[in-house]
Structure formats: structure tokens, C-alpha cells
Amino acid sequence: RPGERPVSRRWAMLLVIFFTRTALGFQFQSIAALTPFLVAAFDLTWAQVGLLMGLFMLPGVVFALPGGLLGQRFGSLRVTVAGLGLLIVGGMLVSYAGGFGTAALGRTLAGTGGVLVNIMLARIVAEWFRGRELQTAMGLMLAAWPFGMALALMILGPLALVASWRVAEYAAVVAAGLALGVMALVYQDP
């Protein structure tokens, strides 16, 4: 059909999108997975732990609409890569934090990147898929977030036990870095 993208390219892009959003969910859930270690390391209250979790989502209030406009102006790939870059920088700040303040700043930066990535991934899916395939592709993209969260809960706690919480948090940064690399190498405009 005219204007239709080749099937294999569409599904390859969806695999890249799934991997990227899995990495995003993995990093989001890192605080929950590492809570006992963070409480011990920083002498955090439960309110501070909740704030660290929430700070990841808070930037969505400010950056959701501008993020879409940035994608329109600069393109999906550039904004996605910039968002993943913020996710990496924010995660590194948390990994090397000496206290709550630095960890909170890191979570806010990572959350800002997460908002941009989430918006762009939905946009990329909508650009690549049509009709019934759009529903399937969007469903798979959305399922990647909780999949990444589940992986974080399964992997990061045990990793922190055998290494340290900093190594485990850095694993979330590595996942975002891999997603950035895959996106930058494989992404194609539809």
C-alpha cells in the first residue's frame, strides 16, 4: 500500500522502543528496589524515600507539553537522545550522591529525561504504525514500562547485596546508556 512502511522495519523499531522504555522503567523503579540500602546509607525518612520516587514523575507537570513541542521542532531522535542523556546524568548523580539533596537533584533530572523519552516514544510509535497495528504496538510500548520496573525489583536488590547500592544504581544508568546507544544507532525516520 502507498505510504506503508516495510513490516520488518516497523517491528524492529518497536523492539528498540520496547528496550528503551524498559530501561526507563528500570531506572524509575531503582529507588523502590534499593530503599533499604538508601535508608541505611543516607538515614532517610520514609517521606524522603517517597519524595525520591515522586521526583522522577514531577517534571511531567512542567515538561509534558513543551516536550511535545521540542519533538516537533527538533525531531523525535534528538529529543529522545537528549532525554536519555538526562536520564543518564540524573542516574549518575544518584549513584554518586553523598546525601538526600544530590539524590533528589539526580532524580529530578532523570525524571525530566524520562518525560521527554516517554513523549517521544509514543510519538515514534504513532509515526511508524497505523490501524490495528498501532493498537498492538502502543500496547507493547506501554507494557515495557512495568516490565522494566519488574526487572529492577528482581535484579537491583540482589546486586546491591553482592556489590553495593551504588553499583546497583549504576546498573540502571548503564541500561539507559545502552538504550541511548541502540536508539542512536538503529533509529530511522518512518
PDB file of all heavy atoms in Angstrom, residues 55-80:
ATOM      1  N   LEU A  55       9.853  12.474  42.747  1.00  0.00           N
ATOM      2  CA  LEU A  55      10.593  13.483  41.984  1.00  0.00           C
ATOM      3  C   LEU A  55      10.853  13.034  40.540  1.00  0.00           C
ATOM      4  O   LEU A  55      11.048  13.865  39.664  1.00  0.00           O
ATOM      5  CB  LEU A  55      11.916  13.820  42.673  1.00  0.00           C
ATOM      6  CG  LEU A  55      11.797  14.733  43.888  1.00  0.00           C
ATOM      7  CD1 LEU A  55      13.135  14.846  44.604  1.00  0.00           C
ATOM      8  CD2 LEU A  55      11.266  16.105  43.498  1.00  0.00           C
ATOM      9  N   PHE A  56      10.843  11.745  40.317  1.00  0.00           N
ATOM     10  CA  PHE A  56      11.019  11.248  38.952  1.00  0.00           C
ATOM     11  C   PHE A  56       9.829  11.619  38.078  1.00  0.00           C
ATOM     12  O   PHE A  56       9.979  11.888  36.894  1.00  0.00           O
ATOM     13  CB  PHE A  56      11.211   9.725  38.977  1.00  0.00           C
ATOM     14  CG  PHE A  56      11.704   9.158  37.687  1.00  0.00           C
ATOM     15  CD1 PHE A  56      13.062   9.023  37.455  1.00  0.00           C
ATOM     16  CD2 PHE A  56      10.827   8.757  36.688  1.00  0.00           C
ATOM     17  CE1 PHE A  56      13.541   8.490  36.262  1.00  0.00           C
ATOM     18  CE2 PHE A  56      11.294   8.223  35.498  1.00  0.00           C
ATOM     19  CZ  PHE A  56      12.650   8.099  35.282  1.00  0.00           C
ATOM     20  N   MET A  57       8.634  11.635  38.673  1.00  0.00           N
ATOM     21  CA  MET A  57       7.421  11.920  37.910  1.00  0.00           C
ATOM     22  C   MET A  57       7.065  13.407  37.891  1.00  0.00           C
ATOM     23  O   MET A  57       6.372  13.862  36.991  1.00  0.00           O
ATOM     24  CB  MET A  57       6.248  11.122  38.477  1.00  0.00           C
ATOM     25  CG  MET A  57       6.480   9.617  38.474  1.00  0.00           C
ATOM     26  SD  MET A  57       6.890   8.938  36.864  1.00  0.00           S
ATOM     27  CE  MET A  57       5.299   8.908  36.109  1.00  0.00           C
ATOM     28  N   LEU A  58       7.516  14.159  38.864  1.00  0.00           N
ATOM     29  CA  LEU A  58       7.151  15.563  38.993  1.00  0.00           C
ATOM     30  C   LEU A  58       7.456  16.407  37.750  1.00  0.00           C
ATOM     31  O   LEU A  58       6.634  17.242  37.366  1.00  0.00           O
ATOM     32  CB  LEU A  58       7.817  16.172  40.235  1.00  0.00           C
ATOM     33  CG  LEU A  58       7.464  17.626  40.533  1.00  0.00           C
ATOM     34  CD1 LEU A  58       5.971  17.760  40.844  1.00  0.00           C
ATOM     35  CD2 LEU A  58       8.302  18.138  41.692  1.00  0.00           C
ATOM     36  N   PRO A  59       8.584  16.236  37.085  1.00  0.00           N
ATOM     37  CA  PRO A  59       8.856  17.069  35.913  1.00  0.00           C
ATOM     38  C   PRO A  59       7.808  16.951  34.804  1.00  0.00           C
ATOM     39  O   PRO A  59       7.696  17.838  33.951  1.00  0.00           O
ATOM     40  CB  PRO A  59      10.224  16.584  35.422  1.00  0.00           C
ATOM     41  CG  PRO A  59      10.877  16.034  36.639  1.00  0.00           C
ATOM     42  CD  PRO A  59       9.752  15.412  37.423  1.00  0.00           C
ATOM     43  N   GLY A  60       7.019  15.883  34.818  1.00  0.00           N
ATOM     44  CA  GLY A  60       5.971  15.732  33.819  1.00  0.00           C
ATOM     45  C   GLY A  60       4.969  16.871  33.856  1.00  0.00           C
ATOM     46  O   GLY A  60       4.404  17.254  32.829  1.00  0.00           O
ATOM     47  N   VAL A  61       4.768  17.452  35.044  1.00  0.00           N
ATOM     48  CA  VAL A  61       3.841  18.572  35.187  1.00  0.00           C
ATOM     49  C   VAL A  61       4.309  19.754  34.348  1.00  0.00           C
ATOM     50  O   VAL A  61       3.514  20.457  33.736  1.00  0.00           O
ATOM     51  CB  VAL A  61       3.713  18.970  36.675  1.00  0.00           C
ATOM     52  CG1 VAL A  61       2.891  20.232  36.847  1.00  0.00           C
ATOM     53  CG2 VAL A  61       3.157  17.833  37.493  1.00  0.00           C
ATOM     54  N   VAL A  62       5.607  19.949  34.301  1.00  0.00           N
ATOM     55  CA  VAL A  62       6.172  21.109  33.614  1.00  0.00           C
ATOM     56  C   VAL A  62       6.573  20.807  32.175  1.00  0.00           C
ATOM     57  O   VAL A  62       6.386  21.635  31.288  1.00  0.00           O
ATOM     58  CB  VAL A  62       7.401  21.634  34.401  1.00  0.00           C
ATOM     59  CG1 VAL A  62       8.073  22.789  33.687  1.00  0.00           C
ATOM     60  CG2 VAL A  62       7.006  22.018  35.813  1.00  0.00           C
ATOM     61  N   PHE A  63       7.113  19.614  31.928  1.00  0.00           N
ATOM     62  CA  PHE A  63       7.757  19.350  30.643  1.00  0.00           C
ATOM     63  C   PHE A  63       6.945  18.536  29.647  1.00  0.00           C
ATOM     64  O   PHE A  63       7.413  18.305  28.531  1.00  0.00           O
ATOM     65  CB  PHE A  63       9.113  18.667  30.869  1.00  0.00           C
ATOM     66  CG  PHE A  63      10.120  19.576  31.489  1.00  0.00           C
ATOM     67  CD1 PHE A  63      10.422  19.472  32.841  1.00  0.00           C
ATOM     68  CD2 PHE A  63      10.741  20.554  30.744  1.00  0.00           C
ATOM     69  CE1 PHE A  63      11.336  20.315  33.422  1.00  0.00           C
ATOM     70  CE2 PHE A  63      11.660  21.416  31.316  1.00  0.00           C
ATOM     71  CZ  PHE A  63      11.958  21.300  32.668  1.00  0.00           C
ATOM     72  N   ALA A  64       5.751  18.095  29.996  1.00  0.00           N
ATOM     73  CA  ALA A  64       4.981  17.268  29.062  1.00  0.00           C
ATOM     74  C   ALA A  64       4.631  18.031  27.790  1.00  0.00           C
ATOM     75  O   ALA A  64       4.949  17.582  26.684  1.00  0.00           O
ATOM     76  CB  ALA A  64       3.727  16.727  29.740  1.00  0.00           C
ATOM     77  N   LEU A  65       4.002  19.161  27.906  1.00  0.00           N
ATOM     78  CA  LEU A  65       3.625  19.936  26.722  1.00  0.00           C
ATOM     79  C   LEU A  65       4.848  20.493  25.991  1.00  0.00           C
ATOM     80  O   LEU A  65       4.974  20.308  24.780  1.00  0.00           O
ATOM     81  CB  LEU A  65       2.652  21.058  27.095  1.00  0.00           C
ATOM     82  CG  LEU A  65       2.120  21.877  25.924  1.00  0.00           C
ATOM     83  CD1 LEU A  65       1.377  20.993  24.929  1.00  0.00           C
ATOM     84  CD2 LEU A  65       1.203  22.985  26.434  1.00  0.00           C
ATOM     85  N   PRO A  66       5.779  21.152  26.684  1.00  0.00           N
ATOM     86  CA  PRO A  66       6.980  21.620  25.976  1.00  0.00           C
ATOM     87  C   PRO A  66       7.770  20.475  25.338  1.00  0.00           C
ATOM     88  O   PRO A  66       8.397  20.656  24.300  1.00  0.00           O
ATOM     89  CB  PRO A  66       7.809  22.316  27.056  1.00  0.00           C
ATOM     90  CG  PRO A  66       6.846  22.677  28.113  1.00  0.00           C
ATOM     91  CD  PRO A  66       5.768  21.626  28.067  1.00  0.00           C
ATOM     92  N   GLY A  67       7.741  19.285  25.957  1.00  0.00           N
ATOM     93  CA  GLY A  67       8.450  18.140  25.388  1.00  0.00           C
ATOM     94  C   GLY A  67       7.909  17.774  24.021  1.00  0.00           C
ATOM     95  O   GLY A  67       8.662  17.480  23.093  1.00  0.00           O
ATOM     96  N   GLY A  68       6.593  17.786  23.876  1.00  0.00           N
ATOM     97  CA  GLY A  68       5.984  17.524  22.571  1.00  0.00           C
ATOM     98  C   GLY A  68       6.370  18.577  21.554  1.00  0.00           C
ATOM     99  O   GLY A  68       6.636  18.272  20.386  1.00  0.00           O
ATOM    100  N   LEU A  69       6.408  19.832  21.982  1.00  0.00           N
ATOM    101  CA  LEU A  69       6.803  20.917  21.075  1.00  0.00           C
ATOM    102  C   LEU A  69       8.273  20.802  20.678  1.00  0.00           C
ATOM    103  O   LEU A  69       8.635  21.086  19.536  1.00  0.00           O
ATOM    104  CB  LEU A  69       6.519  22.268  21.729  1.00  0.00           C
ATOM    105  CG  LEU A  69       5.039  22.572  21.997  1.00  0.00           C
ATOM    106  CD1 LEU A  69       4.888  23.854  22.815  1.00  0.00           C
ATOM    107  CD2 LEU A  69       4.253  22.654  20.706  1.00  0.00           C
ATOM    108  N   LEU A  70       9.100  20.375  21.638  1.00  0.00           N
ATOM    109  CA  LEU A  70      10.516  20.158  21.310  1.00  0.00           C
ATOM    110  C   LEU A  70      10.664  19.062  20.257  1.00  0.00           C
ATOM    111  O   LEU A  70      11.483  19.174  19.342  1.00  0.00           O
ATOM    112  CB  LEU A  70      11.312  19.786  22.565  1.00  0.00           C
ATOM    113  CG  LEU A  70      11.580  20.908  23.552  1.00  0.00           C
ATOM    114  CD1 LEU A  70      12.179  20.348  24.844  1.00  0.00           C
ATOM    115  CD2 LEU A  70      12.503  21.946  22.946  1.00  0.00           C
ATOM    116  N   GLY A  71       9.877  17.992  20.399  1.00  0.00           N
ATOM    117  CA  GLY A  71       9.913  16.916  19.415  1.00  0.00           C
ATOM    118  C   GLY A  71       9.503  17.398  18.040  1.00  0.00           C
ATOM    119  O   GLY A  71      10.077  17.000  17.026  1.00  0.00           O
ATOM    120  N   GLN A  72       8.502  18.258  18.018  1.00  0.00           N
ATOM    121  CA  GLN A  72       8.045  18.809  16.742  1.00  0.00           C
ATOM    122  C   GLN A  72       9.130  19.688  16.123  1.00  0.00           C
ATOM    123  O   GLN A  72       9.342  19.671  14.918  1.00  0.00           O
ATOM    124  CB  GLN A  72       6.776  19.620  16.989  1.00  0.00           C
ATOM    125  CG  GLN A  72       6.053  20.043  15.752  1.00  0.00           C
ATOM    126  CD  GLN A  72       4.730  20.712  16.119  1.00  0.00           C
ATOM    127  OE1 GLN A  72       4.548  21.234  17.217  1.00  0.00           O
ATOM    128  NE2 GLN A  72       3.803  20.684  15.198  1.00  0.00           N
ATOM    129  N   ARG A  73       9.828  20.431  16.945  1.00  0.00           N
ATOM    130  CA  ARG A  73      10.846  21.372  16.450  1.00  0.00           C
ATOM    131  C   ARG A  73      12.157  20.675  16.067  1.00  0.00           C
ATOM    132  O   ARG A  73      12.752  20.972  15.040  1.00  0.00           O
ATOM    133  CB  ARG A  73      11.108  22.419  17.532  1.00  0.00           C
ATOM    134  CG  ARG A  73      12.265  23.336  17.258  1.00  0.00           C
ATOM    135  CD  ARG A  73      11.829  24.579  16.540  1.00  0.00           C
ATOM    136  NE  ARG A  73      12.862  25.586  16.579  1.00  0.00           N
ATOM    137  CZ  ARG A  73      13.676  25.840  15.554  1.00  0.00           C
ATOM    138  NH1 ARG A  73      13.576  25.163  14.442  1.00  0.00           N
ATOM    139  NH2 ARG A  73      14.583  26.775  15.660  1.00  0.00           N
ATOM    140  N   PHE A  74      12.624  19.750  16.920  1.00  0.00           N
ATOM    141  CA  PHE A  74      13.949  19.169  16.732  1.00  0.00           C
ATOM    142  C   PHE A  74      13.942  17.721  16.248  1.00  0.00           C
ATOM    143  O   PHE A  74      15.000  17.185  15.923  1.00  0.00           O
ATOM    144  CB  PHE A  74      14.766  19.268  18.024  1.00  0.00           C
ATOM    145  CG  PHE A  74      15.019  20.681  18.458  1.00  0.00           C
ATOM    146  CD1 PHE A  74      14.340  21.224  19.530  1.00  0.00           C
ATOM    147  CD2 PHE A  74      15.922  21.474  17.775  1.00  0.00           C
ATOM    148  CE1 PHE A  74      14.561  22.533  19.921  1.00  0.00           C
ATOM    149  CE2 PHE A  74      16.159  22.788  18.158  1.00  0.00           C
ATOM    150  CZ  PHE A  74      15.465  23.318  19.239  1.00  0.00           C
ATOM    151  N   GLY A  75      12.802  17.081  16.266  1.00  0.00           N
ATOM    152  CA  GLY A  75      12.707  15.703  15.803  1.00  0.00           C
ATOM    153  C   GLY A  75      12.740  14.706  16.947  1.00  0.00           C
ATOM    154  O   GLY A  75      13.304  14.967  18.015  1.00  0.00           O
ATOM    155  N   SER A  76      12.131  13.567  16.690  1.00  0.00           N
ATOM    156  CA  SER A  76      11.989  12.534  17.723  1.00  0.00           C
ATOM    157  C   SER A  76      13.327  12.003  18.212  1.00  0.00           C
ATOM    158  O   SER A  76      13.515  11.812  19.417  1.00  0.00           O
ATOM    159  CB  SER A  76      11.146  11.383  17.179  1.00  0.00           C
ATOM    160  OG  SER A  76       9.861  11.826  16.845  1.00  0.00           O
ATOM    161  N   LEU A  77      14.245  11.744  17.301  1.00  0.00           N
ATOM    162  CA  LEU A  77      15.522  11.148  17.708  1.00  0.00           C
ATOM    163  C   LEU A  77      16.312  12.087  18.611  1.00  0.00           C
ATOM    164  O   LEU A  77      16.796  11.681  19.668  1.00  0.00           O
ATOM    165  CB  LEU A  77      16.361  10.756  16.491  1.00  0.00           C
ATOM    166  CG  LEU A  77      17.737  10.180  16.821  1.00  0.00           C
ATOM    167  CD1 LEU A  77      17.609   8.903  17.649  1.00  0.00           C
ATOM    168  CD2 LEU A  77      18.532   9.929  15.560  1.00  0.00           C
ATOM    169  N   ARG A  78      16.437  13.334  18.217  1.00  0.00           N
ATOM    170  CA  ARG A  78      17.231  14.275  19.023  1.00  0.00           C
ATOM    171  C   ARG A  78      16.660  14.439  20.432  1.00  0.00           C
ATOM    172  O   ARG A  78      17.411  14.457  21.407  1.00  0.00           O
ATOM    173  CB  ARG A  78      17.289  15.639  18.340  1.00  0.00           C
ATOM    174  CG  ARG A  78      18.215  15.676  17.170  1.00  0.00           C
ATOM    175  CD  ARG A  78      18.310  17.075  16.620  1.00  0.00           C
ATOM    176  NE  ARG A  78      19.187  17.092  15.472  1.00  0.00           N
ATOM    177  CZ  ARG A  78      19.047  17.908  14.452  1.00  0.00           C
ATOM    178  NH1 ARG A  78      18.066  18.788  14.438  1.00  0.00           N
ATOM    179  NH2 ARG A  78      19.886  17.856  13.446  1.00  0.00           N
ATOM    180  N   VAL A  79      15.358  14.568  20.525  1.00  0.00           N
ATOM    181  CA  VAL A  79      14.744  14.769  21.838  1.00  0.00           C
ATOM    182  C   VAL A  79      14.831  13.480  22.666  1.00  0.00           C
ATOM    183  O   VAL A  79      15.078  13.531  23.875  1.00  0.00           O
ATOM    184  CB  VAL A  79      13.296  15.274  21.702  1.00  0.00           C
ATOM    185  CG1 VAL A  79      12.624  15.397  23.059  1.00  0.00           C
ATOM    186  CG2 VAL A  79      13.277  16.624  20.981  1.00  0.00           C
ATOM    187  N   THR A  80      14.674  12.330  22.033  1.00  0.00           N
ATOM    188  CA  THR A  80      14.813  11.060  22.751  1.00  0.00           C
ATOM    189  C   THR A  80      16.232  10.894  23.279  1.00  0.00           C
ATOM    190  O   THR A  80      16.432  10.516  24.442  1.00  0.00           O
ATOM    191  CB  THR A  80      14.438   9.871  21.849  1.00  0.00           C
ATOM    192  OG1 THR A  80      13.102  10.046  21.385  1.00  0.00           O
ATOM    193  CG2 THR A  80      14.551   8.551  22.587  1.00  0.00           C
TER     194      THR A  80
END
